[in-house]
Amino acid sequence: MQFVFPTTLQLGHEHSDGFHQELLRGLTHKLNNLLAVIQGFSSLILMTDDLDPGVAENMQHIREASVGVSALSERIRSAGGCAKLTLQPLSLNEYLGVVEAALLEPFTKNGIQLEADVQQGLPPVQVDPTKFKDILIELLKNAAEAASKAGGRAMLKIAGPGVITPAEQRRVDILVSNTGSHIPQEKLAEVFRPFHGSKNSNHLGLGLTIAAMLSHQMNLQIGIASENNTTTLWLSCPAA
């Protein structure tokens, strides 16, 4: 299987302490402060007992929109390669049980069953647990939506050193696959670029860009392959 990696993003030239990352981090922080004010005052107004129903409905829309912008702001920060990380050794066998509900949510939402094959006794990996979950959710959500759209299947395989990559490299490899879809070879690299998604206008096409950026920041390797009516995303993590 031939994987394509997100080299077109020039991830190697991105540094978390660079000017553009600091600028983006600062701007999103200020934006979130303003949004917090909007959310706070709209919540206070909604607590008014004799509030006009029409005003209440409008304020609820304002509050919901501000919450949505806050979530988008965090995604923009991650897509820009300036998410704050705290790396630590993480046992995947234990961690997957803790975050299982969040990881399965895209499959429940799309009515797709996830076929999982997780090796026991995996060595710990050095990651930021919260951002690592974000990567997994993006990969799994991509597979769930693609499988649902094409009437295919979705699979997750996690294997320790020596199964997918040579044992001497000491890597834990995660494969997320879905059947029923095919991406032409010349289009594979584009899936990691922002706003290149093939979904409808409600999607911004940032999911795999965020996964690629966070992977780069944590020194993980991410790639994609598509052949034999199966698309596979590969996340390779050095053991801690």
Side-chain angles (χ1 to χ4, degrees):
M1 187 176 295
Q2 183 178 359
F3 282 88
V4 172
F5 305 97
T7 54
T8 54
L9 286 176
Q10 296 185 328
L11 298 181
H13 300 292
E14 302 291 343
H15 303 283
S16 61
D17 58 349
F19 169 77
H20 292 95
Q21 284 71 31
E22 286 298 317
L23 176 63
L24 183 57
R25 187 181 294 121
L27 289 174
T28 53
H29 177 71
K30 289 183 179 295
L31 174 62
N32 286 334
N33 286 342
L34 294 172
L35 290 168
V37 174
I38 296 173
Q39 292 169 25
F41 277 101
S42 59
S43 295
L44 285 173
I45 294 172
L46 287 168
M47 293 171 63
T48 304
D49 293 332
D50 57 349
L51 188 63
D52 179 86
V55 174
E57 182 179 359
N58 290 335
M59 291 308 303
Q60 184 64 33
H61 287 315
I62 290 172
R63 187 182 185 283
E64 291 174 356
S66 65
V67 171
V69 174
S70 293
L72 176 58
S73 175
E74 182 58 34
R75 287 174 65 79
I76 291 172
R77 188 198 302 256
S78 296
C82 57
K84 290 187 177 181
L85 306 177
T86 302
L87 301 182
Q88 62 188 68
L90 184 70
S91 169
L92 285 182
N93 294 115
E94 297 176 2
Y95 180 72
L96 291 174
V98 174
V99 299
E100 180 179 6
L103 299 183
L104 291 178
E105 194 275 336
F107 300 93
T108 302
K109 179 180 178 181
N110 287 279
I112 296 293
Q113 183 176 356
L114 176 64
E115 303 171 19
D117 177 13
V118 180
Q119 181 180 322
Q120 294 301 307
L122 293 167
V125 293
Q126 189 84 358
V127 295
D128 178 291
T130 300
K131 296 305 181 184
F132 186 71
K133 182 180 76 170
D134 290 344
I135 295 175
L136 293 179
I137 289 176
E138 295 296 353
L139 301 188
L140 291 168
K141 182 168 64 174
N142 185 81
E145 292 176 351
S148 175
K149 183 178 179 180
R153 298 160 47 225
M155 295 80 69
L156 168 68
K157 180 179 179 65
I158 304 180
V163 178
I164 296 172
T165 51
E168 60 270 18
Q169 293 186 14
R170 295 284 298 159
R171 304 185 75 88
V172 174
D173 296 295
I174 302 172
L175 299 179
V176 178
S177 304
N178 68 272
T179 64
S181 65
H182 175 74
I183 303 174
Q185 184 70 23
E186 65 273 13
K187 298 289 186 180
L188 283 176
E190 293 183 3
V191 303
F192 295 108
R193 296 183 61 82
F195 315 120
H196 278 70
S198 59
K199 303 181 181 70
N200 59 40
S201 59
N202 293 325
H203 294 75
L204 292 177
L206 288 177
L208 293 183
T209 302
I210 291 171
M213 280 294 187
L214 291 176
S215 297
H216 170 66
Q217 285 190 269
M218 285 188 277
N219 196 32
L220 313 180
Q221 188 176 41
I222 189 170
I224 186 170
S226 189
E227 58 184 41
N228 299 324
N229 204 38
T230 300
T231 297
T232 300
L233 285 154
W234 171 39
L235 185 67
S236 188
C237 316

